[in-house]
Amino acid sequence: MTPRHRTPRWRAVAVTAVLVPATACAGGEPGSSSGKDDSLQTKAAAEVSTLAEARAQAVATTAGVALDAWRTNTSPCQGQRGEIADDGRWTLSGFAGLPVPPADQITTLRRIRDMWRQQGYEITEDRTFADGTRGAVSMRDPDTGITISLTTTASRDRVALILATDCYRPAAGEDPANA
């Protein structure tokens, strides 16, 4: 039996937990303004958390299912070369499962993609895997910098939701980068 910490699902979550904060603030595209050295908005952690959960809940509502095991974490922002900001800049990542039946997963991803397009979000990934039964779709909200990625799981028991925010300066009295 494979230990729980070595299962593919947990491996994917662990890799994502490392990569999402690293890329969320790295200013991945030319002209983006989310790097460690860029000017940032000051936001309270509760405000960002509420917005992130609302975006995740909108996805679940469109999918017609409940968010399963929604959780968030905050972490320090990283620069383009992996350096960690030492001034308290932070980002939030969110994770959940969507218990969508296997036969409905591709149509659900398409329905969510269409909702995102109607809302003016940039679709950054939209593909069906070679087997034709699994896929992935991702978006970026140009107004808030929030990104959401949805991917069918290898076990086909759900769609994984991964959310990342831009980097923010902490509100007075908060230190989400080191929470």
Side-chain angles (χ1 to χ4, degrees):
M1 187 162 125
T2 304
R4 183 165 178 84
H5 70 279
R6 294 191 187 264
T7 62
R9 177 178 176 212
W10 290 107
R11 193 173 315 135
V13 169
V15 168
T16 302
V18 171
L19 292 179
V20 168
T23 59
C25 298
E29 294 183 0
S32 69
S33 61
S34 59
K36 177 185 82 66
D37 298 322
D38 295 334
S39 174
L40 303 174
Q41 294 180 0
T42 298
K43 295 271 188 180
E47 176 186 355
V48 174
S49 180
T50 298
L51 178 60
E53 186 170 2
R55 293 293 167 81
Q57 187 57 55
V59 169
T61 299
T62 301
V65 298
L67 281 177
D68 183 27
W70 171 251
R71 63 200 175 283
T72 61
N73 66 302
T74 57
S75 59
C77 291
Q78 293 185 4
Q80 291 182 3
R81 290 176 283 291
E83 69 276 13
I84 303 239
D86 58 5
D87 62 358
R89 296 171 189 220
W90 64 279
T91 185
L92 179 134
S93 301
F95 309 92
L98 301 170
V100 177
D104 298 334
Q105 291 179 356
I106 295 296
T107 28
T108 298
L109 290 178
R110 289 178 183 149
R111 188 169 55 248
I112 293 166
R113 176 207 57 208
D114 293 345
M115 173 199 63
W116 286 340
R117 279 190 179 141
Q118 289 173 353
Q119 293 178 346
Y121 302 147
E122 173 190 354
I123 304 302
T124 57
E125 178 181 30
D126 182 11
R127 65 187 177 114
T128 302
F129 300 157
D131 68 3
T133 64
R134 299 181 50 240
V137 65
S138 301
M139 70 77 143
R140 181 178 184 281
D141 177 351
D143 293 332
T144 65
I146 289 177
T147 61
I148 299 177
S149 294
L150 302 172
T151 304
T152 55
T153 60
S155 62
R156 303 274 330 275
D157 65 339
R158 65 192 56 251
V159 172
L161 182 151
I162 302 165
L163 178 145
T165 69
D166 259 347
C167 289
Y168 303 102
R169 290 196 178 277
E174 290 189 345
D175 188 11
N178 297 302

